[in-house]
Amino acid sequence: MKRLKQIIKDIKDAQEKGTDRSDLLWQLICYPPKMPVRLLQQNLLDEATKFSLSVYDAEFSATELRFNVFKWGSGKHKVLLTHGWGSKAIDFAELITTFRTMPDIEIVAFDAPGNGSSEGDLSNLGLYVQAVNAILRNGFVPKIVIGHSLGAMANTLAIHETGILPSLLISLTPLIRLKENFQFSMDSVGVTKVAQDNFFEKFEQLFKGQASAYNLVDLYHMNAEVKHWIAYDSQDLISPYAYIAEFLARNPAVVAVCYEGVGHDKIFKSPQVINDVVLQINVDT
């Protein structure tokens, strides 16, 4: 978190001086802040079976990155958890603890590349999608897939790419429009429109496509067999309701429930949301 604060300070200083520091924008957008593991979280990690897989980071390091995977239980009802940006597997501690009280459950969660304990400095949606793909193709076939924020977006793309379908997909405050999320981050620290336009031009060159293409309204192609349940907060600034509403209008089979005031980053810790997630799983199982 100290590094992120320094990045933001340096960007603001550069804006005031009129200095071109486009390199700092890549760090603002693609550096996931690291938060320490709390004692209770560490105790839960100590009880997990651990292994690692790898993905190739073509855009930033041009190397294979190892990412860490954690498993609890060995039941037939398999659950995959995909965390959001600047987060980690064990941030789902409340959900994991609750799931472990349920019969016949196997839970897998992971630290995405560049996040938590996994290798990498900068990260991006593509690395999240690759990580989910690697888990699915490593023989873990989940019946229930749960994602938060960017992790929810990654889940839907990975399911489409692999064709490995869960029976239940749960998305907690899913990101819908990636470019607009980038703009929100840059606007919040006073980045000029010219500097933002330059960033998106370089983004297009590096990723061989426009940031606006990463838009679930257009990219969502879920099989009708997959039940999709969304939890959101209508006051969420990171995943605004206008984008959620647009997505739901295009996909009327998706069920969505609003939880006012839970917040983008804490929705998966809300007792009410956790209770409703369990109800969804019980209905499905």
Side-chain angles (χ1 to χ4, degrees):
M1 188 59 73
K2 288 182 179 179
R3 177 175 168 184
L4 180 60
K5 290 180 179 178
Q6 187 61 51
I7 291 169
I8 291 172
K9 181 181 182 301
D10 291 344
I11 288 173
K12 289 181 176 180
D13 289 345
Q15 293 291 311
E16 290 178 2
K17 296 175 183 178
T19 306
D20 179 13
R21 291 299 308 275
S22 56
D23 59 308
L24 292 173
L25 295 186
W26 282 102
Q27 294 182 54
L28 174 71
I29 298 301
C30 298
Y31 169 71
K34 312 293 191 297
M35 299 297 289
V37 174
R38 302 192 306 272
L39 178 59
L40 291 178
Q41 292 178 326
Q42 186 59 56
N43 291 339
L44 192 54
L45 284 174
D46 291 342
E47 297 173 2
T49 300
K50 305 173 184 67
F51 60 97
S52 62
L53 298 169
S54 65
V55 298
Y56 184 69
D57 174 18
E59 288 79 22
F60 297 129
S61 65
T63 60
E64 291 282 336
L65 298 177
R66 303 290 294 180
F67 69 95
N68 295 321
V69 187
F70 311 91
K71 181 173 79 71
W72 295 266
S74 57
K76 67 178 181 180
H77 300 306
K78 301 184 185 302
V79 181
L80 175 64
L81 297 170
T82 306
H83 66 76
W85 184 254
S87 186
K88 52 192 178 295
I90 203 58
D91 287 338
F92 284 119
E94 289 84 357
L95 266 175
I96 293 167
T97 300
T98 300
F99 289 164
R100 293 181 77 196
T101 67
M102 301 169 66
D104 217 8
I105 288 281
E106 179 178 325
I107 308 148
V108 165
F110 64 97
D111 290 351
N115 291 257
S117 63
S118 293
E119 292 181 350
D121 183 43
L122 303 182
S123 190
N124 58 64
L125 172 63
L127 290 173
Y128 272 68
V129 174
Q130 283 193 66
V132 177
N133 284 348
I135 291 171
L136 297 180
R137 288 171 172 152
N138 193 54
F140 182 75
V141 181
K143 187 172 185 180
I144 300 132
V145 174
I146 301 174
H148 171 242
S149 191
L150 186 72
M153 178 183 262
N155 281 344
T156 61
L157 297 179
I159 288 169
H160 178 66
E161 287 184 8
T162 62
I164 298 174
L165 304 179
S167 58
L168 175 62
L169 175 64
I170 294 177
S171 299
L172 308 174
T173 57
L175 279 188
I176 303 297
R177 292 181 173 272
L178 198 61
K179 180 178 181 179
E180 285 79 357
N181 180 258
F182 292 168
Q183 289 173 320
F184 175 82
S185 297
M186 290 188 280
D187 287 342
S188 68
V189 296
V191 177
T192 65
K193 186 178 184 304
V194 170
Q196 291 191 32
D197 289 344
N198 289 338
F199 170 82
F200 285 120
E201 182 178 339
K202 292 176 181 177
F203 180 98
E204 183 176 351
Q205 294 169 0
L206 180 63
F207 288 91
K208 299 177 177 59
Q210 296 182 350
S212 58
Y214 298 94
N215 167 12
L216 275 191
V217 174
D218 297 327
L219 293 176
Y220 187 79
H221 304 289
M222 193 58 61
N223 189 295
E225 298 173 7
V226 179
K227 176 184 176 182
H228 191 179
W229 186 86
I230 288 178
Y232 68 95
D233 181 346
S234 64
Q235 303 305 310
D236 188 348
L237 297 178
I238 296 174
S239 184
Y241 175 66
Y243 304 152
I244 298 283
E246 181 186 18
F247 174 82
L248 294 174
R250 185 77 68 88
N251 300 282
V254 177
V255 176
V257 180
C258 179
Y259 297 86
E260 294 287 355
V262 296
H264 184 84
D265 293 333
K266 296 182 179 179
I267 192 166
F268 52 84
K269 300 177 185 290
S270 162
Q272 182 183 2
V273 174
I274 291 173
N275 181 68
D276 289 352
V277 166
V278 170
L279 288 175
Q280 291 297 318
I281 290 175
N282 281 335
V283 168
D284 184 67
T285 56

